[in-house]
Amino acid sequence: MGDAAWWQRGVIYQIYPRSFMDSDGDGVGDLPGILARLDHLTWLGVDALWLSPVHPSPMDDFGYDISDYTGVDPVFGTLDDLDRLVVAAHGRGLRVLLDWVPNHTSDRHPWFQASRASRDDPKRDWYIWRDPRPGGGPPTNWLRYVGDSAWRWDEPTGQYYYRVFLDSQPDLNWRNPQVQEAMFDTLRFWLARGIDGFRIDALVALVEDDRLRDNPPNPRYRPGEDFPYMRELSVWNIDRPETRELTARMRKVVDEVGDDRVLLAELGVPLEQTVAYYGGAGGGIQVPFNFELLSAAWDARGIAGYIDRYLAALPAGAWPNWVLGNHDSPRVASRLGPAQARVAAMLLLTLPGTPILYQGDELGLEDVPIPDEEALDPIARLVPGRGRDPERTPMPWDAGPGGGFTSGRPWLPLGEGNLARSVAAQRGDPASMLTLHRRLLRLRRRVPALVGGRYEPVEAAGDVLAFLRGDDDQRYLVALNLGPDPTRLAVPDPAAGGRVLVSTRPGRDGEAVGGVLELRGDEGVVVG
Ligand code: NOJ
Ligand code: MG
């Protein structure tokens, strides 16, 4: 473990800048706000922050529609503010990662404005323009994320453009070498300013089939349950071989400045496809997001089986990672309930690999219900019930007005329940979710075996998920009860004689553990 990279040892904390801290009272979080709250992150004990996009944007998709890749949107501050944040973070030993959105720009990006203006514009080919099929209609049957045709008719020049997300998020044409270079240059711009890496947005959507073959239907589609685009198997427009090849080039760009920069990537494809993004000989994405915990049924046997399959599927030298929450998924505390959210936190922070922690999950924040009619997220209108505002509500810092988040009117409500879960309310409480996170993060720092040690599953039944972490000298037992009823686990020899180091439920620290470990309902423990 001595030679592990910082992003292998560390924990990455996702900041959704609109909702972290507002410094100027406009109700929207900003960079000076993040700077002012860096102490929270060092106190908590994370190692890096990844910022969802802060670039100039019309905000149709709250920053994932970028109109200038090398600037900072005034709502978030200035380029100087970002530079200052990076210096301050580095001064505290925190790395800073930016979100990089290569698949699409805003339709107000000058590139698209030029591309859209005429068929002869030199930038026409920077996006994906096609004629209707013979006989009329969109060139292929491909669906966009919200379930209708991925092709959008554009009257002025009489062609369709391709966009996998909103109308105002046209896909770039990554087959065009000028696009590749222009986008790689945006990475270089930020690397030169000291950015430690990037989370790549929607990577699998990058390249589409150039022969425009139609997708087959998905025989396993569950209407109402699955996202509407899943009606078809997106084999020709998602996760194309050309995309995988491009990741090696992205990696080369970040490696130009040294070997300590990291690429994370959002994929959202099945396990076998996800692990392909590590690339040959580790030359691709170092952290291809493992999204299983975002949607897995909360079932001990199922999760144990997935951990085995995932670890077995990793190519040689690949480093695992785990994502428990993000700005696109319901909050873990709402999915699993508050008691199991604590168990999930213990799982996230003791599994082998890099944990990615979403802002506010350390407080046990829950989704704030926002009716579709009042939603700000456009997805709520396009796919009713799937809006993402509930998991994007502002951080509650204290009991003051605006929850200490803003002196103005917050862009989304903080929610009564979440206000009671503020940082100030939890900081001094030994039994709080926040304290549990801090203790687990400290334990990781103190016990290298939890970070770099082997993972060995422990035989368990029912709701118990158990494993050992460590090496031959020192092994730690993690035992998690994923159900509400008390249960027990036969402790494998190496851990017998250990003590409870942390429990998700209070009142057990230091307890000696013998041959049988009693677990209360909803309890997880680390024994060592
Ligand atoms: C994934 C991002 O996480 C999500 O918030 C966004 O809407 C889409 N990609 C499009 O950029
Ligand atoms: Mg694309």
Side-chain angles (χ1 to χ4, degrees):
M1 213 40 215
D3 54 358
W6 67 263
W7 53 267
Q8 295 178 314
R9 290 188 307 267
V11 175
I12 297 171
Y13 183 95
Q14 180 190 355
I15 290 188
Y16 194 69
R18 294 185 73 82
S19 289
F20 195 65
M21 176 68 205
D22 173 24
S23 72
D24 60 2
D26 66 355
V28 177
D30 47 46
L31 294 166
I34 297 171
L35 180 68
R37 295 290 190 188
L38 279 184
D39 284 348
H40 173 67
L41 303 178
T42 43
W43 177 85
L44 183 60
V46 298
D47 300 87
L49 32 140
W50 140 39
L51 307 180
S52 278
V54 294
H55 308 303
S57 163
M59 301 289 166
D60 290 356
D61 192 18
F62 296 109
Y64 284 93
D65 49 324
I66 294 173
S67 53
D68 172 7
Y69 284 86
T70 55
V72 169
D73 193 280
V75 81
F76 297 123
T78 64
L79 198 50
D80 280 348
D81 290 329
L82 185 48
D83 287 343
R84 265 195 289 277
L85 176 62
V86 171
V87 169
H90 285 171
R92 287 169 162 85
L94 294 165
R95 313 277 173 150
V96 182
L97 312 177
L98 292 182
D99 218 305
W100 188 54
V101 186
N103 178 66
H104 46 271
T105 69
S106 162
D107 63 349
R108 270 140 289 171
H109 194 296
W111 298 341
F112 189 70
Q113 304 254 299
S115 186
R116 186 179 226 173
S118 99
R119 290 195 185 204
D120 307 321
D121 191 278
K123 292 235 162 31
R124 183 67 169 182
D125 184 52
W126 281 42
Y127 294 82
I128 305 166
W129 293 97
R130 291 288 182 279
D131 290 330
R133 313 187 170 234
T140 65
N141 70 351
W142 304 342
L143 302 175
R144 65 171 172 152
Y145 181 64
V146 298
D148 53 0
S149 171
W151 298 96
R152 168 85 191 180
W153 180 251
D154 203 46
E155 193 55 46
T157 55
Q159 279 192 314
Y160 288 94
Y161 68 87
Y162 177 79
R163 46 78 173 111
V164 85
F165 294 104
L166 303 177
D167 291 346
S168 58
Q169 291 169 302
D171 274 48
L172 281 163
N173 175 17
W174 269 87
R175 293 178 185 278
N176 183 320
Q178 292 178 333
V179 168
Q180 297 170 5
E181 276 317 307
M183 287 303 292
F184 292 155
D185 280 346
T186 66
L187 292 176
R188 295 188 179 103
F189 176 89
W190 292 112
L191 290 167
R193 296 190 98 86
I195 293 299
D196 299 290
F198 303 89
R199 173 268 192 187
I200 307 176
D201 182 74
L203 177 57
V204 292
L206 214 57
V207 187
E208 300 76 26
D209 181 41
D210 51 354
R211 290 170 51 195
L212 297 179
R213 282 167 279 197
D214 275 343
N215 283 330
N218 176 3
R220 280 198 283 278
Y221 175 63
R222 299 161 303 175
E225 240 176 285
D226 291 328
F227 237 78
Y229 75 88
M230 294 168 80
R231 288 203 306 282
E232 63 186 32
L233 297 169
S234 309
V235 292
W236 294 113
N237 58 331
I238 297 293
D239 188 19
R240 300 300 304 151
E242 295 90 332
T243 301
R244 297 187 186 183
E245 282 158 26
L246 279 163
T247 61
R249 309 236 337 255
M250 296 170 187
R251 177 64 180 280
K252 281 214 177 72
V253 173
V254 295
D255 283 354
E256 283 167 11
V257 291
D259 59 7
D260 63 341
R261 314 290 171 112
V262 67
L263 290 177
L264 285 47
E266 181 204 30
L267 304 165
V269 290
L271 172 57
E272 300 67 33
Q273 290 164 262
T274 298
V275 297
Y277 280 82
Y278 284 105
I285 306 295
Q286 295 111 311
V287 184
F289 280 163
N290 166 16
F291 272 180
E292 179 70 11
L293 295 180
L294 287 177
S295 58
W298 203 240
D299 159 69
R301 301 282 65 75
I303 293 177
Y306 177 80
I307 297 169
D308 291 342
R309 282 201 305 286
Y310 175 64
L311 296 178
L314 296 180
W319 189 256
N321 71 81
W322 301 90
V323 179
L324 187 58
N326 64 28
H327 63 296
D328 295 327
S329 315
R331 288 271 183 192
V332 57
S334 294
R335 285 183 343 245
L336 306 178
Q340 282 298 322
R342 299 171 73 102
V343 176
M346 184 171 276
L347 177 66
L348 175 75
L349 297 173
T350 55
L351 280 169
T354 303
I356 292 114
L357 179 61
Y358 176 49
Q359 124 185 351
D361 279 352
E362 78 275 28
L363 301 173
L365 295 191
E366 296 183 5
D367 292 336
V368 176
I370 293 168
D372 283 345
E373 317 80 71
E374 290 164 32
L376 301 181
D377 179 17
I379 299 297
R381 273 178 298 285
L382 293 163
V383 191
R386 298 288 187 140
R388 300 164 295 179
D389 292 347
E391 62 262 23
R392 295 176 175 181
T393 58
M395 280 283 281
W397 294 98
D398 56 45
F405 163 73
T406 183
S407 59
R409 200 177 112 83
W411 75 288
L412 285 176
L414 278 87
E416 279 308 310
N418 284 346
L419 272 166
R421 301 182 181 101
S422 74
V423 174
Q426 295 197 40
R427 248 179 97 122
D429 174 359
S432 73
M433 179 68 149
L434 180 58
T435 302
L436 175 66
H437 275 84
R438 183 161 189 254
R439 292 186 63 194
L440 287 167
L441 286 161
R442 293 188 143 200
L443 189 66
R444 283 176 64 93
R445 283 188 190 230
R446 191 162 65 72
V447 178
L450 283 178
V451 177
R454 279 198 307 268
Y455 168 91
E456 291 171 45
V458 168
E459 208 172 295
D463 286 332
V464 179
L465 172 60
F467 48 87
L468 294 168
R469 296 297 318 280
D471 47 37
D472 294 334
D473 299 337
Q474 215 188 2
R475 293 209 270 189
Y476 292 79
L477 170 69
V478 179
L480 309 168
N481 182 358
L482 272 54
D485 302 321
T487 183
R488 45 177 48 190
L489 172 77
V491 175
D493 275 350
R499 290 181 180 277
V500 173
L501 298 175
V502 185
S503 166
T504 60
R505 294 187 50 182
R508 232 186 144 165
D509 291 354
E511 187 184 302
V513 173
V516 174
L517 172 65
E518 308 276 348
L519 287 170
R520 294 172 285 177
D522 300 317
E523 181 173 47
V525 295
V526 182
V527 178

